[in-house]
Amino acid sequence: MSAYRTGDPLDRRRFLTAAALRGATVIGTGALSTGALSTGALGTGVIGATALGAVDADAAFAAPIRPLDPAVAESAFAEGRITAINQDVLEVAGSYGDHSRVRVTNATSVWKARATTAADIETGDGLYARGLPLPDGTLAADAVWVNIVNLHATIRGIEKTRLHLAHGQHEIVGNLMAQTTSASYGDASPTADLSRLTIGQSAQVLGAWRPSDGSVDLVRVAVAPGAGRRR
């Protein structure tokens, strides 16, 4: 099973960048916090949506924190490309030739460019899941991030509905999504105002990869302090 304990020293951004550039899988390490186990729809020890930590996009990159509550077992992580969906179990091919089975329930939090439900998960998607291992070898997921990527890039072009980004030698199309895409200028809070993004700016990009065409749905574009003063 492609599962990672909280102490593993993983370079999250390196793996997530590879997802967008290779059409490969996603991987990461999540945050842990106190909480209690809850009983899921299947009657097994399925964890609640916030039992092991936050479930927003940023939580996929948070530094791991061991649970203080002894009732909460140490979480594990699975990553890979979804090869099949069998009712509530996702069959996942890992980045290193391994295989994992991830169980989702109505208690599982799902992120795919936004908070959504398991109905939006598709075969071919990349997956990073946080949860607890069950006796049958499956991972009971408390949170699943689908196709999440986190890139350092340079803005090379700006259109009404997309940004053209360069990451090293790779060109990436970033889709601007109404009501979703935000910009962060320096230390300021994210805003829906994208007018201060300019060609040539360096940016950190958080979004969701589209397996169909290799583009990225942009959730947040963060530029350095002092950037974006003029258009």
Side-chain angles (χ1 to χ4, degrees):
M1 177 176 175
S2 178
Y4 298 88
R5 297 293 176 176
T6 57
D8 288 349
L10 296 178
D11 182 343
R12 294 180 290 279
R13 183 165 292 113
R14 175 169 59 86
F15 283 105
L16 292 163
T17 297
L21 302 185
R22 295 198 307 264
T25 186
V26 291
I27 188 172
T29 306
L32 301 180
S33 68
T34 59
L37 296 180
S38 62
T39 301
L42 301 179
T44 58
V46 178
I47 46 188
T50 57
L52 298 177
V55 293
D56 60 12
D58 292 296
F61 310 98
I65 302 173
R66 294 186 182 277
L68 301 178
D69 188 339
V72 178
E74 184 177 353
S75 64
F77 304 90
E79 58 82 26
R81 193 81 175 267
I82 299 172
T83 59
I85 301 175
N86 300 318
Q87 296 184 340
D88 61 348
V89 174
L90 310 177
E91 304 289 343
V92 181
S95 298
Y96 303 100
D98 49 0
H99 177 268
S100 58
R101 303 175 72 242
V102 177
R103 187 180 301 277
V104 295
T105 73
N106 55 8
T108 303
S109 171
V110 179
W111 184 96
K112 190 176 183 180
R114 58 184 175 82
T116 185
T117 67
D120 281 341
I121 300 175
E122 300 176 289
T123 301
D125 281 338
L127 171 145
Y128 161 52
R130 180 188 67 199
L132 296 178
L134 296 178
D136 65 359
T138 62
L139 181 75
D142 119 278
V144 172
W145 291 268
V146 182
N147 296 333
I148 188 170
V149 293
N150 191 352
L151 308 168
H152 283 303
T154 301
I155 300 174
R156 297 300 191 195
I158 300 176
E159 299 181 16
K160 184 176 181 179
T161 60
R162 59 186 181 178
L163 299 180
H164 294 272
L165 305 168
H167 177 86
Q169 301 300 313
H170 301 274
E171 298 294 327
I172 300 169
V173 173
N175 305 304
L176 299 174
M177 301 182 294
Q179 311 302 321
T180 300
T181 306
S182 66
S184 178
Y185 303 100
D187 297 327
S189 299
T191 173
D193 178 15
L194 307 181
S195 66
R196 290 183 285 163
L197 297 177
T198 62
I199 294 173
Q201 285 176 331
S202 296
Q204 182 178 341
V205 175
L206 177 66
W209 165 61
R210 286 188 186 181
S212 60
D213 61 12
S215 66
V216 174
D217 290 338
L218 300 177
V219 174
R220 187 170 66 244
V221 181
V223 296
R229 292 178 177 172
R230 295 191 304 272
R231 183 78 183 242

